[in-house]
Amino acid sequence: MIPWKTLGTVAAFGLISQPSLAQTLQTSAGPLQITQMAAGLDEPWGLAFLPDGSFLVTERDGRLLRMTESEEVEVTGTPEVFAEGQGGLLDVMVPRDFGTSRAVYLTYAQPVDGGAVTTLGRGTLSEDGTQLEGFAELFRDPVPDQSDIHFGTRVVEAADGTLFLTSGERGSGDLAQDPTLANGKVFHLTRDGAPLTAIDGALDGVYSMGHRNPQGVAVDDTGQLWVVEHGAQGGDELNLVRAGANYGWPVITYGKDYDDSPIGVGTTAPGLEQPVHYWDPSIAPSGLMIYSGDMFRPGARRAAGA
C-alpha cells in the first residue's frame, strides 16, 4: 500500500525502470518524498490497484504483472496482442466490486486479418492472483487498420458501474470525424461490452467523437468524464467530455503538423468543442488521475501546520 503523509511529505508511486533511492523533491506545494515501488519494468503502460494493496501492471509486449511488497508475479491467461509500434497490451482496470467479482478488464491491440483492432476484454483473477481465468473479448473496433499508432484505449468505470472506453484515430485524423467508425471516439458500454449510447448515424456505443489519441481518462466525484489526449506539435488537450459532443480533431486544434504546416481550419469552428485546457508546446499527457484532497490547494498546507 502507498503511505500518504500530510505533514510535509508524500510518498508517491512511480513505475521506475532504473533503480533509484527514495528522494525528496522541492515543489511549490512543499517537499514531496518519492518512494520507488517497482523497478526493472519493460514499457509499462497501465496500472490498477487491488484491494489488498498489491497492484497490476501491463507491459506493452503482452505481460500482466501483479506486484506486491515482496514479489513480482506474471499473471497468465492474457490475450494475444499486436505488440508493434504503439500497439500491445495497454490499459488495465479493476472495478469497484472486485472483492466479489474478481473481474479485471484489459484493453489491447488485437492482431486480425488486415492489421489490428482496439479491443476490450475481461477475465477473472484467480484467488492466488496468478491467472486470468476465462478471459474473453467484450468489444472491439469492427474495422481492421494496418496502422500501428494512436490506439488510445483507456477504460474507466463510471459512477453507475458502466464503462467508458477511448479509441485513438490510428493516425488517420479525418476518420475521427466519421461517426460510423470507431477511430477517434469515446464509447459508453455496459460491463459486458454492449453499447449504451445510440446517436443517429453513429456506430452504436459512440459517446463522443473528434478525438486524436486519448490516453488518459478519469471520472470525477460528480460523475463527469475527463479525457486527456495527445496533439501533434502542441495542441495536447484536457477535455470535459459530454454525450454527443464533437471535440474537433482534425478540423480544429491548437497544434500544428510535424512539418510545421497548419492543421484544419484553425482553433475554433461552429459546433466543435473547446478544450478545458491545452498545452503548447506539447507535454505528451498519458495517464490521468483526479485528486480531490487538500494537499495541493493553496494555503492548505499552511493551515495544516506544515
Side-chain angles (χ1 to χ4, degrees):
M1 298 181 67
I2 297 178
W4 291 92
K5 303 178 182 179
T6 58
L7 295 180
T9 63
V10 58
F13 173 79
L15 291 178
I16 304 172
S17 59
Q18 296 295 327
S20 65
L21 299 175
Q23 57 180 310
T24 299
L25 299 180
Q26 297 299 322
T27 77
S28 59
L32 299 181
Q33 180 178 320
I34 299 176
T35 303
Q36 178 177 290
M37 304 297 291
L41 298 170
D42 182 15
E43 294 189 87
W45 210 95
L47 179 150
F49 290 98
L50 295 168
D52 63 2
S54 63
F55 51 92
L56 299 172
V57 179
T58 61
E59 291 184 333
R60 196 181 59 79
D61 67 359
R63 291 205 309 164
L64 176 65
L65 304 174
R66 184 172 61 85
M67 317 289 287
T68 71
E69 291 185 0
S70 60
E71 65 177 348
E72 169 188 307
V73 176
E74 182 171 354
V75 179
T76 62
T78 55
E80 179 186 5
V81 301
F82 175 82
E84 303 288 343
Q86 297 171 5
L89 182 58
L90 302 173
D91 206 10
V92 55
M93 191 274 284
V94 172
R96 290 187 294 274
D97 70 351
F98 175 84
T100 54
S101 71
R102 298 196 66 82
V104 172
Y105 289 82
L106 298 175
T107 69
Y108 54 103
Q110 179 183 10
V112 295
D113 290 343
V117 292
T118 296
T119 306
L120 171 71
R122 180 184 63 201
T124 301
L125 188 65
S126 61
E127 290 293 335
D128 64 3
T130 64
Q131 184 177 6
L132 268 189
E133 300 172 339
F135 187 86
E137 171 190 316
L138 300 178
F139 177 87
R140 67 163 159 170
D141 180 347
V143 180
D145 194 312
Q146 293 185 345
S147 169
D148 63 1
I149 64 172
H150 296 187
F151 288 90
T153 61
R154 290 284 184 185
V155 60
V156 68
E157 186 178 20
D160 62 1
T162 60
L163 307 178
F164 289 107
L165 172 71
T166 70
S167 179
E169 37 80 294
R170 304 295 298 278
S172 298
D174 290 343
L175 301 186
Q177 290 297 318
D178 186 337
T180 68
L181 298 176
N183 305 62
K185 309 299 189 298
V186 172
F187 289 90
H188 192 195
L189 308 169
T190 70
R191 288 174 59 99
D192 294 327
L196 275 173
T197 46
I199 299 171
D200 286 347
L203 183 66
D204 285 348
V206 168
Y207 187 80
S208 63
M209 59 186 290
H211 302 279
R212 185 174 182 267
N213 189 15
Q215 287 191 351
V217 60
V219 173
D220 67 20
D221 292 342
T222 67
Q224 297 184 108
L225 178 66
W226 295 82
V227 167
V228 289
E229 52 193 282
H230 296 276
Q233 290 193 106
D236 295 346
E237 293 184 356
L238 171 65
N239 284 304
L240 176 59
V241 177
R242 298 182 296 103
N246 186 332
Y247 290 83
W249 177 258
V251 180
I252 61 171
T253 178
Y254 285 87
K256 56 185 178 180
D257 215 336
Y258 296 107
D259 61 2
D260 291 332
S261 62
I263 300 172
V265 301
T267 58
T268 63
L272 302 181
E273 301 295 319
Q274 285 290 299
V276 173
H277 185 78
Y278 70 90
W279 290 270
D280 187 10
S282 295
I283 64 166
S286 49
L288 172 64
M289 182 190 77
I290 295 174
Y291 172 73
S292 58
D294 290 332
M295 175 73 67
F296 301 106
R297 292 179 181 171
R301 292 175 52 75
R302 290 189 292 276

